Amino acid sequence: MAEKTQRLDIVTPERKVLSEDIGFVVVPGVAGELGFLPEHTPLVSALKTGIVRVQQDGKEFKIAISSGFVEVKNSRVVILADAAERADQIDKSRAEAAKARAEQRLSSSSSDIDVARAEAALKRAINRLRLLH
Ligand code: ATP
């Protein structure tokens, strides 16, 4: 018998990153990881910057997302993220440069740096680099 599937859509303000029939997906909820099989009960949750892990046809692939929301309904999982990239879309040197920039801002003694913004940028950069390892 064919494996049950559900539709996974990952959308950002800039583009549709993914629209695929998949088996199982794990997303980085703000209070911890959430896993969804087809026919999951309806749910909406905020997401933090982290990795989405997808199982499709017995294989796994991963997508880095930069915070957002997930909605699950009628065997459809929709992720609305500020940004999302598959491993092959990530520019490693750009992420390394963003990481160095954020670290430098956080270590500076200047009072006019926006700490929350620099920390969020650092998390996005580390997350992208994590997906490449
Ligand atoms: P940077 O400072 O390098 O712009 P950022 O974390 O501020 O990094 P975002 O605002 O999260 O960037 O993303 C802006 C756009 O650039 C999004 O479309 C995102 O997918 C893309 N993007 C950001 N960093 C990378 C990267 N290292 N490789 C590929 N795409 C990236």
Side-chain angles (χ1 to χ4, degrees):
M1 204 173 76
E3 183 193 30
K4 271 193 182 159
T5 61
Q6 59 189 337
R7 171 65 57 153
L8 172 64
D9 290 307
I10 302 183
V11 183
T12 74
E14 288 168 12
R15 64 198 177 101
K16 181 162 239 178
V17 178
L18 188 101
S19 184
E20 299 265 344
D21 289 323
I22 58 114
F24 180 58
V25 59
V26 178
V27 304
V30 282
E33 293 204 315
L34 301 167
F36 306 120
L37 285 164
E39 298 172 14
H40 195 281
T41 45
L43 170 149
V44 173
S45 173
L47 301 177
K48 60 186 176 188
T49 294
I51 306 290
V52 173
R53 300 200 315 271
V54 182
Q55 280 173 27
Q56 184 185 45
D57 301 328
K59 291 186 195 137
E60 184 180 84
F61 63 92
K62 297 178 185 174
I63 296 151
I65 63 154
S66 304
S67 66
F69 292 89
V70 63
E71 180 181 37
V72 183
K73 197 168 65 179
N74 300 331
S75 282
R76 183 155 183 240
V77 177
V78 179
I79 293 174
L80 304 171
D82 290 343
E85 304 93 29
R86 295 175 76 134
D88 61 358
Q89 295 168 330
I90 291 176
D91 177 339
K92 190 177 178 196
S93 19
R94 177 174 167 181
E96 283 168 346
K99 178 171 177 279
R101 219 164 38 238
E103 283 170 343
Q104 205 240 321
R105 282 198 186 112
L106 289 168
S107 68
S108 90
S109 51
S110 160
S111 59
D112 43 56
I113 68 150
D114 182 338
V115 173
R117 188 173 160 192
E119 282 174 350
L122 181 59
K123 276 188 192 153
R124 292 195 298 274
I126 290 172
N127 190 49
R128 288 177 176 122
L129 293 169
R130 186 155 72 97
L131 192 64
L132 297 179
H133 294 131

